[in-house]
Amino acid sequence: MEQSAQQARQLDGLASAPVPSPSPFAAFGMPGPGGSAPAASPQPRPILELEGETYEDELDALSDWVDDFLLPVYGAEVTTAAPWCLQWQEHNDVVAWLHALWLAYQQHKDPETGLSGMLVWHRDFLAHAIAAIRGPGGPLSACMTSPDRPSHRLLPGPKPSARTADKSDEPDGDLAA
C-alpha cells in the first residue's frame, strides 16, 4: 500500500505543470529574450581557499560536525594504527580532508541523491578519507596514539622544488646568454 501511495505521489508530481520561468532557456543558464541570466547559486569553495572571518565561520561549522557527529559515530579507538589529534584544526591537510568529507556528506544526505546516497558516501568518501587522515603514516601520525597521552606535533612538509628555489636565486630581468 505504501509503495502504491509513493507511486501515486510521483505520478502527481510528474503530471503537474512545470513552474513557469521567465525564460524558456533558464534551464540552460541562458537569458531569455530581453532578460538576464538566472542567478547562479553559490558554489562551495575548499576551506583552505577561504580567508578571515569566512574561514573561521566555516572551520567552526566543520568542528561542530566533526565533534558532534563524525567522531562519536566513526571515531573508533585511538591507537598507533589510528592516531588522532585534539588540535586537528591546526593540521591544514586534515582540515582540507575533513571539509571535503563534510561537503560530500551534505550532498549525499540530500533526499534527491536517492536511497543509496549515504551508502555511496560511506563507500566512496568516508572510508578513504578516514584511512588517509588516521593511517599510521598519515598527517596525525606524530600526534596522539593513546588517549592516556594527548600529543600534538606538526610534521614539517617538503621543501619547495628545485625549480622554485632556482628562480629565487636569479636576478629579475637578467637572462643568461
Side-chain angles (χ1 to χ4, degrees):
M1 293 298 281
E2 178 60 35
Q3 186 177 15
S4 294
Q6 183 181 9
Q7 289 173 343
R9 287 190 297 272
Q10 286 177 325
L11 287 173
D12 289 343
L14 293 171
S16 64
V19 177
S21 68
S23 164
F25 308 106
F28 303 105
M30 299 171 51
S36 60
S41 59
Q43 296 297 318
R45 291 177 48 205
I47 193 168
L48 297 181
E49 291 181 4
L50 304 177
E51 296 177 348
E53 192 172 322
T54 306
Y55 173 82
E56 291 299 325
D57 291 345
E58 193 74 359
L59 185 60
D60 286 345
L62 174 61
S63 296
D64 289 345
W65 180 75
V66 168
D67 292 340
D68 297 341
F69 174 73
L70 187 69
L71 290 178
V73 177
Y74 303 102
E77 185 179 2
V78 175
T79 66
T80 55
W84 185 246
C85 184
L86 297 175
Q87 298 173 31
W88 62 266
Q89 297 93 339
E90 294 180 22
H91 297 264
N92 282 340
D93 46 356
V94 174
V95 169
W97 271 103
L98 290 174
H99 188 254
L101 183 63
W102 181 45
L103 293 177
Y105 173 80
Q106 292 176 65
Q107 176 186 353
H108 285 83
K109 75 173 188 165
D110 188 303
E112 290 185 17
T113 62
L115 298 175
S116 63
M118 289 307 298
L119 177 64
V120 170
W121 180 76
H122 281 89
R123 181 194 68 203
D124 293 350
F125 299 94
L126 176 68
H128 181 69
I130 293 298
I133 294 167
R134 296 194 63 192
L140 302 179
S141 61
C143 293
M144 183 171 64
T145 58
S146 169
D148 298 331
R149 294 185 314 274
S151 178
H152 167 68
R153 191 172 116 210
L154 294 174
L155 297 173
K159 303 279 188 237
S161 69
R163 180 180 169 107
T164 304
D166 290 345
K167 284 185 179 180
S168 64
D169 293 341
E170 295 177 9
D172 290 337
D174 292 344
L175 295 176

